[in-house]
Amino acid sequence: MTLTVEHATMPVLGRLPLHSSRAEQIAHIAEAAKQIRIQDLALVHHAGAGHIGGDFSAIDILATLYGAVLDISPATVDDTERDRFILSKGHVAGALYTTLAAFGFLPVEELATFLKPLSALNGHPNRNKVAGVEANTGPLGHGLPIAVGHALSAKLDVSMRRTYVLVGDGELQEGSNWEAMMAASQYQLDRLTVIVDRNRLQQGATTQETNDLDPLPEKAAAFGFAVVEVNGHDHGELLDVLSAVPFRPGRPTFVIAHTHKGHPISFMSDNVAWHHRVPDAGEYQQALKELA
Amino acid sequence: MTVLETRSIADQPRYDCRDAYVETLAELAESDHRIVGVVNDSVGSSKLTSFRKAFPDRLINVGIAEQDMVGVASGLANGGRIPFVSAASCFLTGRALEQIKADVAYSNTNVKLCGMSPGVAYGELGPTHHSVEDIAWLRAIANLPVIVPADPIETAAVLRWAAASVGPVFIRVSRMSVPKVYSEDYEFHLGKAITVRDGSDVTLISNGTILWRALAAAERLAEEGISARVLSMPTVKPLDTDAVVAAARETAGIVTAEEAVSGGGLGGAVAETVVQHHPARVSILGFPEFAPTGSAGYLMDRCGLTPEGIADAARRLVTTGT
C-alpha cells in the first residue's frame, strides 16, 4: 500500500499550558517532532529540493523550543516582549516552516507552496514574508551576531525576554560567529542561548575532515560562555537544558546538541549525501514507514 | 533655500561634518530613547566621545568586528531600537557588505549605516583605507537609499530625516573640511536634487565634499560667459531622474564630479539615466584607479576634482562636445 501525506492533515499543535507536567511536555514535543518530520519529508519530496539531512538533525530542537520553551505564539508574534528564536542555519528553512505550521504560525496548506514561484516560503527564511521568522538568514554566520543584537536590545530595555539562536556546527567556521561570541561575553548577555546543531557533517564532508571545530566545548568556554552538552534528539534533555538557562549568571549559554544528520531515518542518518538530496518515491515510502 | 554666495564659496569657513553628525545624533538621542550608536572601536574617529559620555549604555562598541557590528545593529532594530552604525566607510561597507545586503537591506531592518571618512579622506593611508567604492557597491543593493551630504547643514538634515523614517539607509559622513553650501533652513527630501545654481549652457552634478568645488567651477565659467547649472545630488539612490533628464534636455551636457570611483557611483547613475531617457554627453570625474600616495587634497587635485578640473570638463563639453 502506498502511503501519502497531505499537508492539510497535520494537526495544529500549540504550546502546552504552563502547569503541564514534564512528562506531558515531553510527550507533546515528541508528537510535534514526529508530525514535523512527516510533513518535512513530504515538503522536500514534493518540492524536489531542500535540505532534509539538516532539517531532521534540527527538528527535535525546534519542536522543543516551540513546543515548551519559547514564550511566543501566533497571537504574540509581534509582541515586543516575545522571546526571539533565530534560525542561523537558514538552509533548513523547510524544518522551520513545518515547525511554524505545526504550532499555528502559518497555514498548514501553505507548506505545499514551498519553493514554488511567488511563494512566501523561499529556500531560506524571510522575516517580511513569514510570520514568526525573526531574521533573513541563509548566508552562514549571520544569525549569531543578529541574536547578540536582540539580546542587547532586551538588556537595554531591562526586559526578561530571551534570545535563542540555532547555528550549524559547520557554520561555526565563519569568523563572524566568534566576533559575536566575544561581544556576547563582553556584554554579559546571559539571556542569550546559542544552540549548536552538532551533527559533525557539513555539505561535503565531516567538520573534522574540513576545518575541525574541536575542542568545541573548551573553545566556547574560553570565549566566556557557560557550556552544556546534550543529546540533541532527547526531548527530555533538551527541555531541561533549554528551560534552565542561564546556567551561570552574567554568562551567555552555549548548548552543544549532539545530533545526527538525517535522524532517525536508517538510510539518511549520518550520511553526508543527504545534505540536500531529495528522497525518490521508494525512499519517501521507506522513510514514512520508519517515521510511523 | 540655498546660499548662493558663490562669489566667495572657496573662501568661506570650513567645517568637519562629523561635528554636525555627533551634535545631531546627541540631539536625536536626547528626544528618542530608541536611538543607539553602534561602533567598531571607532568612538574617537567618529567623534562620539561626548555621545558616549552622555549616553554610556547607548553607545555599543563591539570592537574591531564589522560583520558582527552590522548583525548586532540588525538585532537591535528587531528589538525596537534605532541603531546608527558609525564606522570608517572602507571597513563598514567592504567587510560587512553581505551583512548590509542580507541583515539590513533584504531584511528591511531599521538600521542607519553611517560611513565615516569616506572617499580619499584617509589620503596617505592608501587605497586600503580609501572608500571610493562604497557608493558603487551599495548602489547595487535594493532597498537601501544611498545619501552623500555636502556640508554640515545637510549632514544634520539627513540624520534627522533618517531617524524619522523607518527602514535602512546609508549615509556618508565626511571628515574633509568643507564650506557651508546651504542655508540653515535647508530641508532634505529623499531622491530630490537641489538646483544650487541655475544655468543653461552646461550642467554640473555633484555631492559630498565636491559640491562646493562644482559651485566654484561655475563661478569661473560665469566669468568666461558660460552659464553652468549646478545640481546638488545628495541622494545617489534613488536618483532624481527628472532633474537629470531635464539637464540632458536643456543643456549641452553633464559633468559629474564625486569623491568616488569614476564608474558605478553618481556618475554611473547619471549616465545610466541619461542613456535610457535622453542620450546626452556625460563627462564623469572621479577616481579611475587605486590612488598613489598623497594627502586627500593632493589626490583630489591629481584626479581633476578641483574647481579648475571641473570647469575644464565643462568647457570641453560646451566648446567641442567631448
Side-chain angles (χ1 to χ4, degrees), chain B:
Chain B
M1 180 164 67
T2 54
V3 173
L4 293 178
E5 298 170 39
T6 50
R7 119 192 104 70
S8 58
I9 188 83
D11 303 322
Q12 287 172 8
R14 304 289 176 89
Y15 301 88
D16 180 336
C17 291
R18 291 176 302 170
D19 293 323
Y21 171 80
V22 67
E23 280 166 25
T24 310
L25 195 61
E27 167 197 311
L28 290 165
E30 189 67 48
S31 60
D32 188 339
H33 78 283
R34 296 173 300 169
I35 289 175
V36 294
V38 186
V39 296
N40 61 338
D41 195 35
S42 47
V43 180
S45 56
S46 297
K47 291 205 167 194
L48 287 169
T49 309
S50 59
F51 183 93
R52 181 173 60 183
K53 196 173 176 191
F55 309 99
D57 297 337
R58 287 160 63 185
L59 186 67
I60 292 152
N61 187 353
V62 299
I64 307 163
E66 290 76 21
Q67 296 180 67
D68 184 42
M69 174 178 66
V70 175
V72 162
S74 172
L76 283 162
N78 176 288
R81 296 276 161 177
I82 305 174
F84 279 75
V85 178
S86 179
S89 198
C90 55
F91 305 132
L92 167 62
T93 61
R95 294 191 86 124
L97 190 61
E98 191 182 84
Q99 278 75 16
I100 292 173
K101 171 186 165 184
D103 306 355
V104 177
Y106 178 53
S107 298
N108 194 31
T109 47
N110 195 20
V111 175
K112 320 301 176 184
L113 302 162
C114 301
M116 311 302 287
S117 306
V120 295
Y122 288 124
E124 297 89 342
L125 301 187
T128 54
H129 285 59
H130 297 165
S131 187
V132 288
E133 304 88 355
D134 52 3
I135 295 169
W137 287 342
L138 299 191
R139 199 166 71 79
I141 298 175
N143 194 38
L144 183 67
V146 176
I147 305 174
V148 186
D151 76 355
I153 293 167
E154 189 166 52
T155 301
V158 170
L159 282 179
R160 289 194 194 98
W161 172 86
S165 68
V166 178
V169 62
F170 173 75
I171 304 163
R172 261 186 164 199
V173 181
S174 182
R175 69 161 62 206
M176 300 285 292
S177 61
V178 288
K180 285 184 180 171
V181 178
Y182 300 102
S183 55
E184 297 289 343
D185 60 351
Y186 172 83
E187 284 179 25
F188 173 76
H189 298 283
L190 182 73
K192 291 292 174 202
I194 303 114
T195 306
V196 287
R197 182 180 174 116
D198 213 355
S200 53
D201 293 332
V202 64
T203 303
L204 314 179
I205 302 182
S206 190
N207 60 21
T209 58
I210 309 301
L211 179 61
W212 74 265
R213 294 174 166 87
L215 274 167
E219 292 173 36
R220 296 183 185 208
L221 292 167
E223 287 165 11
E224 300 161 24
I226 297 174
S227 166
R229 179 183 304 180
V230 181
L231 292 183
S232 166
M233 197 68 77
T235 314
V236 177
K237 181 183 179 180
L239 194 75
D240 189 339
T241 303
D242 292 344
V244 172
V245 171
R249 263 204 194 100
E250 295 161 10
T251 67
I254 296 169
V255 178
T256 68
E258 61 191 309
E259 193 186 344
V261 289
S262 52
L266 173 64
V270 168
E272 288 164 15
T273 302
V274 164
V275 165
Q276 291 180 80
H277 297 277
H278 191 90
R281 293 294 306 178
V282 180
S283 179
I284 299 175
L285 301 184
F287 292 90
E289 56 194 15
F290 289 125
T293 303
S295 68
Y298 170 80
L299 297 176
M300 285 192 199
D301 290 352
R302 187 184 157 94
C303 280
L305 290 168
T306 55
E308 190 49 34
I310 297 166
D312 251 355
R315 274 186 213 109
R316 279 200 302 276
L317 270 182
V318 171
T319 56
T320 69
T322 60

Side-chain angles (χ1 to χ4, degrees), chain A residues 151-215:
Chain A
L152 263 170
S153 71
K155 187 164 183 164
L156 285 168
D157 291 349
V158 198
S159 162
M160 294 301 280
R161 64 182 187 256
R162 299 167 298 177
T163 307
Y164 292 83
V165 55
L166 179 64
V167 302
D169 52 359
E171 180 179 8
L172 287 175
Q173 289 160 0
E174 291 280 7
S176 51
N177 293 300
W178 302 93
E179 294 181 0
M181 285 170 69
M182 284 193 283
S185 185
Q186 176 76 21
Y187 281 95
Q188 303 184 336
L189 301 177
D190 60 8
R191 299 189 72 74
L192 169 71
T193 302
V194 180
I195 308 164
V196 183
D197 185 355
R198 185 72 170 117
N199 59 33
R200 296 184 174 269
L201 290 177
Q202 50 197 101
Q203 182 169 237
T206 64
T207 52
Q208 189 178 21
E209 289 166 329
T210 309
N211 198 353
D212 198 5
L213 294 164
D214 278 327

